[in-house]
Amino acid sequence: MKTIQGPAIFLAQFLDDEPPFNNLNNICKWASELGYKGVQIPTWDKRCFDLKKAAESKTYTDEIKGTVEQCGMQVTELSTHQQGQLVAVHPAYDTMFDVFAPAELRGNPAERQKWAADQVKMAAKASQNLGIDVHATFSGALLWPFMYPWPQRPDGLVEAGFKELAKRWEPILNVFDEHGVDLCYEVHAGEDLHDGITFERFVEATNKHPRVKLLFDPSHFVLQQLDYLQLIDHYHAFIRMFHVKDAEYNYNGKSGVYGGYQSWGDRPGRFRSLGDGQVDFTGIFSKLSQYGYGGWAVMEWECCIKSPEQGAREGAPFIQSHIIEVTQKAFDDFAGGESNDELNRKILGI
């Protein structure tokens, strides 16, 4: 068993042009004062991180580490969620996902995909330069428009989709392997990897690539009505990152898991700030500790009701209160006795 590290915070939802959210130094000071010990950094936001510099310059990554450490924290992981999304985009979503790419690449899916793959590869080197051996991303999606089997899917469509997804990701995974970094896919609605079965399909499609790992975020499984505690039982060996995010599912007679095209505040399944939803974090922290997860507990704030500032203030003590200092001895050691082979044989009557 291992003690989980934390609390940490994912900066993506907090970065802004106004202080203290406008650069890495300011936002780290703010987070540290709230009690956070680590920051997960989005690599697409130049206000806090230059991915190209980080991949090419150890001096730059040392400066990044120094900025964070001066605030009493650590860089926990880097994220390429936006770039990873663009590794695999079904044409139905080309226009909407173009906003994730540089302006000069919009309207050019082939060049956008090449750029995205290069970006994620750079994150492998940047992570190595920072001394980090895990990285967060999205898988992208070629099959998501066909998630519901109507119209009936032709035989082989799903297999072809995962074959192509693996074809796009395997060269990237090989780069991560060269740099000693695990690539942790956030299993998330809208991605081809959105539950346990789809994650398994990807593992098989990549010939069980050793760098394919999982970012566990229970909020997405509440919205799918999936047993997230059992998911840990099934896939704990793959879990190398953990987003601490809350959610709730409110059963009603008008809409269900598909949400009726409603806004987040009106959907039955919606994200909430820590402690305001239905996620069993006591059970999650217990299972992850039992299975030896020693990575970071990273708060990701997404709430349709509470402000990000309040969510952040409440998040650090919430996570800290759930971290289990794992025991180094059995509770009944006081009742034990000396043991040796001769005594054991005597007890067994042999």
Side-chain angles (χ1 to χ4, degrees):
M1 297 191 297
K2 294 180 181 178
T3 297
I4 295 172
Q5 301 178 75
I9 185 170
F10 187 26
L11 298 180
Q13 288 87 354
F14 296 95
L15 286 161
D16 191 85
D17 291 333
E18 296 297 321
F21 309 109
N22 58 332
N23 61 50
L24 186 63
N25 182 62
N26 287 346
I27 200 170
C28 283
K29 287 180 179 177
W30 166 80
S32 179
E33 289 171 359
L34 295 180
Y36 291 99
K37 300 175 183 177
V39 288
Q40 186 178 101
I41 298 178
T43 62
W44 60 86
D45 198 316
K46 290 289 184 69
R47 287 171 294 196
C48 71
F49 196 80
D50 188 314
L51 179 56
K52 189 172 187 295
K53 279 186 180 179
E56 296 174 349
S57 171
K58 185 71 163 54
T59 300
Y60 175 74
T61 54
D62 286 344
E63 291 172 357
I64 291 289
K65 288 174 65 176
T67 297
V68 175
E69 289 171 0
Q70 282 180 1
C71 298
M73 296 194 294
Q74 298 179 46
V75 181
T76 64
E77 305 99 358
L78 300 178
S79 155
T80 54
H81 281 83
Q82 288 194 6
Q83 301 99 313
Q85 181 75 63
L86 299 183
V87 170
V89 177
H90 187 276
Y93 298 106
D94 268 338
T95 301
M96 289 185 286
F97 278 133
D98 253 354
V99 298
F100 287 0
E104 64 271 17
L105 297 178
R106 294 171 188 174
N108 190 337
E111 288 302 310
R112 184 188 64 197
Q113 179 194 331
K114 180 181 177 182
W115 171 85
D118 288 341
Q119 285 272 301
V120 183
K121 289 175 183 177
M122 282 194 288
K125 180 59 176 175
S127 295
Q128 183 187 49
N129 284 344
L130 285 163
I132 300 170
D133 65 356
V134 289
H135 178 75
T137 199
F138 276 151
S139 68
L142 301 173
L143 288 163
W144 184 253
F146 314 106
M147 180 268 297
Y148 193 80
W150 181 259
Q152 189 180 55
R153 293 188 294 255
D155 289 344
L157 178 67
V158 172
E159 290 75 12
F162 275 96
K163 182 178 180 180
E164 176 63 23
L165 191 68
K167 179 183 175 182
R168 298 187 187 192
W169 276 105
E170 281 181 326
I172 301 171
L173 285 161
N174 290 338
V175 171
F176 273 79
D177 197 32
E178 292 169 11
H179 294 294
V181 181
D182 285 339
L183 194 50
C184 303
Y185 294 91
E186 182 168 1
V187 178
H188 186 290
E191 309 300 316
D192 281 346
L193 278 60
H194 57 268
D195 61 9
I197 295 298
T198 51
F199 180 75
E200 287 183 18
R201 285 181 182 270
F202 186 68
V203 170
E204 292 301 319
T206 58
N207 296 308
K208 300 181 179 179
H209 198 290
R211 294 298 173 179
V212 174
K213 302 298 178 184
L214 191 154
L215 188 165
F216 174 75
D217 182 335
S219 66
H220 304 299
F221 306 131
V222 171
L223 271 55
Q224 293 184 59
Q225 293 295 279
L226 185 154
D227 189 328
Y228 48 83
L229 294 178
Q230 280 196 18
L231 185 139
I232 296 173
D233 290 331
H234 289 303
Y235 305 110
H236 58 87
F238 290 95
I239 296 173
R240 293 221 58 208
M241 292 178 64
F242 173 26
H243 272 175
V244 188
K245 192 171 82 176
D246 212 341
E248 63 186 2
Y249 189 87
N250 301 305
Y251 291 93
N252 69 80
K254 288 192 173 183
S255 64
V257 294
Y258 306 118
Y261 300 110
Q262 297 176 101
S263 64
W264 278 112
D266 298 321
R267 296 172 68 91
R270 57 190 191 174
F271 300 126
R272 299 298 307 276
S273 290
L274 295 184
D276 295 343
Q278 300 165 349
V279 173
D280 178 8
F281 286 108
T282 299
I284 289 171
F285 275 81
S286 293
K287 279 191 178 288
L288 289 177
S289 298
Q290 177 186 348
Y291 284 123
Y293 174 77
W296 286 86
V298 181
M299 188 199 78
E300 182 181 23
W301 175 87
E302 289 181 356
C303 185
C304 58
I305 297 177
K306 184 172 288 183
S307 74
E309 292 82 5
Q310 184 181 359
R313 288 195 305 270
E314 296 173 351
F318 183 91
I319 293 173
Q320 189 63 61
S321 70
H322 282 81
I323 291 176
I324 298 169
E325 297 178 14
V326 297
T327 182
Q328 301 300 316
K329 63 179 182 179
F331 66 86
D332 57 354
D333 279 351
F334 74 94
E338 295 291 332
S339 178
N340 55 55
D341 186 60
E342 183 178 349
L343 177 61
N344 289 338
R345 293 175 61 84
K346 180 178 180 181
I347 292 171
L348 291 171
I350 56 177

